[in-house]
Amino acid sequence: MSRVPGWLGRIGAGLTEMGDRLDERRAEVERESETVEPEQSVPETVEAPPADLPPPAPRPDPVQAVPWGVRVAAEAGWRLLVLAGTLWVLIKVISAVQLVVLAFVVALLLTALLEPTVARLKRAGVPQGPATALTAILGFVVIGLMGWFVTWQVMENIDNLSDQVQDGIDDLRRWLLNSPFHVTDKQINGIAKNLREAIGANTDSITSAGLEGVTVVVEALTGILLSFFSTLFLLYDGKRIWEWTLKLVPSAARPGVAGAGPRAWATLTAYVRGTVVVALIDAIFIGLGIYFLDVPMAVPLAVFIFLFSFIPLVGAVASGALAVVVALVTQGVFTAVMTLAVVLAVQQIEGHILQPFILGRAVRVHPLAVVLSVASGGMVAGIGGAVVAVPLVAVTNTVVGYLKAYSQEPAPRTSPRPRGATAAGVAPVAPPPADKTD
């Protein structure tokens, strides 16, 4: 029993000695780790790039990578697309309310024509309301009388004209048979047969067009009423309507628009008055010419020439061609040739003397612009669009030219002094001191 404790004591002493050695070893490892500097720690192994390859170049900015010409084309392209889309939407809106737009534009043209009469009546002492009503009613009565006179003359002479047309066709047929063109009776009969067949084949279309005429009459009456009331209010309250329109314009652009408005109105007024004078001279001289040539319905043809003269270029050609055709089928080839000579002579005088002298430089538009605008207006809105296309182009040209000049003017050195009722209670603004170097 005495030997067991000794054995256990030796085991305990061995374990104690082993623990002391482990503590000493742990202390030595801690001392060694403390003496190692951080910079001397072993870094992670990273593969270095080969020495023979150049370093990668930095990627350029994507905007700078696109060529300058492509950037300019793209900038202009999307702006043109926006403008084209806006124009397309505007045309669609105008087409949807075409009757209202045409009635208002006609009212503007009539207002530009009748405004001087209102001003004269006011200077004579007539109040604003009666002067406006009297002028508008008188203007529409004159226009209505012109339409009634043309209709009356046509209905009165339709029977006589039919006989003259038949005689003229017979004379034309005999002239073609005896002419040097070697036209045979068989060819003439074939042409007449083709015309009869074309008319017979399109009978349904002609009938439907006649039925649609009722709708056209209703729309025409509606447009006339809209034009009448619009003209009446524009003559009576046009100034306040313009001032209200200016309030819809942003304040930054309001001075330019306020200056362009009177110039646009002056251009429109000059165009309407000049066109009326030129159309009246054309109607008088061509009417006198065809009257002395014994062409039937000379007075209604003169009225047609006056009305068609409001369509530049195309109207003069159409009205002149109508007079020549009537002269050809009623009086023969010689009278038709003389009528054509009269029409061409008057139109040459109009184009080279009357229009430059009467219209002046205020509404001068290039002939190509006139042709393109008339064609575009006719495609969009028919005859009404062809009538209003040229004054619209002339007014647009004036407005764009003024706004361009206005944008290039230097800013005023002094604030404008308010006038009239707005000047009450407003202190004058002192101008800045002048430069000594001036």
Side-chain angles (χ1 to χ4, degrees):
M1 297 295 295
S2 60
R3 296 178 62 181
V4 174
W7 177 73
L8 290 175
R10 287 194 298 272
I11 292 175
L15 291 175
T16 301
E17 184 179 358
M18 185 180 296
D20 293 339
R21 285 199 298 269
L22 288 175
D23 291 338
E24 292 177 359
R25 182 59 182 171
R26 188 182 295 110
E28 290 178 359
V29 171
E30 291 178 356
R31 286 193 300 269
E32 289 177 359
S33 62
E34 291 178 357
T35 55
V36 176
E37 297 181 358
E39 292 79 9
Q40 295 179 355
S41 60
V42 180
E44 297 180 359
T45 58
V46 178
E47 295 182 359
D52 54 347
L53 293 179
R59 293 184 178 180
D61 187 5
V63 176
Q64 300 297 327
V66 180
W68 180 82
V70 176
R71 293 202 302 269
V72 172
E75 292 284 340
W78 73 260
R79 286 176 170 85
L80 288 176
L81 287 176
V82 171
L83 292 176
T86 304
L87 183 61
W88 182 81
V89 172
L90 183 62
I91 292 175
K92 287 296 183 181
V93 172
I94 292 176
S95 300
V97 291
Q98 177 179 336
L99 181 62
V100 177
V101 174
L102 285 179
F104 183 73
V105 174
V106 171
L108 284 176
L109 298 177
L110 292 176
T111 303
L113 180 63
L114 299 176
E115 188 183 23
T117 305
V118 177
R120 292 190 186 96
L121 291 176
K122 289 174 62 178
R123 286 195 296 268
V126 182
Q128 174 76 13
T132 301
L134 182 62
T135 303
I137 293 173
L138 182 62
F140 277 88
V141 166
V142 170
I143 295 174
L145 287 176
M146 291 175 59
W148 171 82
F149 178 76
V150 172
T151 306
W152 173 64
Q153 285 290 314
V154 172
M155 297 302 295
E156 285 290 324
N157 295 281
I158 189 67
D159 296 332
N160 187 23
L161 182 63
S162 299
D163 296 336
Q164 289 182 346
V165 168
Q166 185 62 41
D167 295 338
I169 292 175
D170 294 336
D171 294 338
L172 180 61
R173 179 173 183 169
R174 286 191 295 269
W175 181 82
L176 288 174
L177 291 173
N178 298 323
S179 67
F181 298 108
H182 304 290
V183 180
T184 63
D185 195 9
K186 183 179 179 180
Q187 292 174 338
I188 295 176
N189 292 333
I191 294 173
K193 182 180 178 181
N194 292 332
L195 289 175
R196 286 194 298 268
E197 291 178 353
I199 294 175
N202 295 291
T203 302
D204 296 337
S205 301
I206 296 173
T207 305
S208 62
L211 294 176
E212 291 177 357
V214 179
T215 305
V216 173
V217 170
V218 173
E219 291 181 353
L221 292 176
T222 305
I224 291 172
L225 290 176
L226 287 174
S227 299
F228 176 76
F229 285 107
S230 299
T231 303
L232 191 65
F233 284 109
L234 288 174
L235 287 173
Y236 180 75
D237 216 8
K239 183 178 180 181
R240 289 205 304 175
I241 293 174
W242 170 245
E243 292 175 351
W244 176 82
T245 306
L246 282 178
K247 294 179 181 179
L248 303 178
V249 180
S251 58
R254 195 171 299 165
V257 176
R263 288 164 176 81
W265 183 251
T267 299
L268 182 63
T269 304
Y271 175 84
V272 173
R273 296 176 187 173
T275 302
V276 169
V277 174
V278 172
L280 188 61
I281 294 174
D282 286 350
I284 291 175
F285 282 97
I286 295 178
L288 289 175
I290 62 178
Y291 175 78
F292 287 113
L293 290 172
D294 290 331
V295 178
M297 296 193 305
V299 177
L301 286 175
V303 176
F304 272 115
I305 291 170
F306 173 78
L307 296 177
F308 274 85
S309 295
F310 284 91
I311 305 176
L313 299 180
V314 179
V317 174
S319 58
L322 179 62
V324 172
V325 169
V326 173
L328 177 64
V329 298
T330 57
Q331 299 296 324
V333 178
F334 177 76
T335 305
V337 172
M338 296 303 297
T339 304
L340 179 62
V342 171
V343 171
L344 291 178
V346 173
Q347 289 181 358
Q348 290 297 317
I349 295 173
E350 170 201 337
H352 294 87
I353 298 176
L354 295 179
Q355 284 191 355
F357 179 74
I358 296 175
L359 296 180
R361 301 181 61 89
V363 293
R364 180 170 295 179
V365 182
H366 196 276
L368 179 60
V370 172
V371 173
L372 294 178
S373 60
V374 170
S376 301
M379 293 175 62
V380 173
I383 297 177
V387 171
V388 304
V390 176
L392 179 61
V393 171
V395 169
T396 304
N397 184 32
T398 301
V399 171
V400 171
Y402 172 79
L403 293 178
K404 182 179 179 181
Y406 179 82
S407 63
Q408 295 176 354
E409 290 180 356
R413 295 173 59 92
T414 60
S415 300
R417 171 88 173 152
R419 299 179 180 179
T422 58
V426 179
V429 180
D435 296 335
K436 296 182 179 181
T437 57
D438 292 344

